[in-house]
Amino acid sequence: QVQLVESGGGSVQAGGSLRLSCAASGYTISGFSMAWFRQAPGKEREGVARIDNNGSTDYADSVKGRFTISKDNAKNTLFLQMNNLEPEDTAMYSCAAKRTGYIGAWSTYTYRGQGTQVTVSS
């Protein structure tokens, strides 16, 4: 059974940084594509960043240049480094996974974790 457990969220001031982690079990991340999503109160869930099995990445326009997705295959863990955070980044962040190695449509990331809250104050 695939389990994804996020950690690293918290409260920071605008301009600050956070590093999110997503530990996977029942699933070997090295061969597959993974992603980070976020959902703010009253808004739809949106894709933030995704990475394929070879390490190629893709980002939403709103976070390009500020967020970096990466993974440590040895630790079976996905990361999201978030720099220069803005109040608009406040949301529940969750990781997601799929059973293929290439970056696909956001809707194809069907395995999801419970999420970790990120709050950015101005």
Side-chain angles (χ1 to χ4, degrees):
Q1 182 178 357
V2 176
Q3 284 194 316
L4 303 171
V5 180
E6 301 91 341
S7 61
S11 297
V12 296
Q13 290 191 325
S17 298
L18 284 173
R19 188 191 194 205
L20 306 184
S21 299
C22 171
S25 59
Y27 176 87
T28 302
I29 71 170
S30 60
F32 303 107
S33 180
M34 299 187 72
W36 285 96
F37 288 80
R38 67 185 181 186
Q39 187 167 20
K43 294 188 177 181
E44 291 188 357
R45 184 170 174 260
E46 64 170 338
V48 174
R50 43 195 174 180
I51 186 168
D52 73 6
N53 59 327
N54 293 316
S56 295
T57 58
D58 180 64
Y59 298 91
D61 288 343
S62 58
V63 305
K64 278 181 182 176
R66 300 188 298 122
F67 290 12
T68 303
I69 186 172
S70 63
K71 58 180 181 173
D72 185 329
N73 291 334
K75 295 182 178 179
N76 217 36
T77 301
L78 179 73
F79 301 100
L80 185 68
Q81 177 67 42
M82 305 186 295
N83 298 328
N84 195 20
L85 283 160
E86 303 169 352
E88 293 74 23
D89 295 318
T90 295
M92 179 71 75
Y93 285 73
S94 59
C95 66
K98 58 193 298 218
R99 284 291 187 183
T100 57
Y102 57 87
I103 289 175
W106 294 108
S107 60
T108 61
Y109 294 87
T110 55
Y111 299 107
R112 300 177 186 177
Q114 293 298 309
T116 184
Q117 178 67 38
V118 171
T119 303
V120 185
S121 58
S122 57

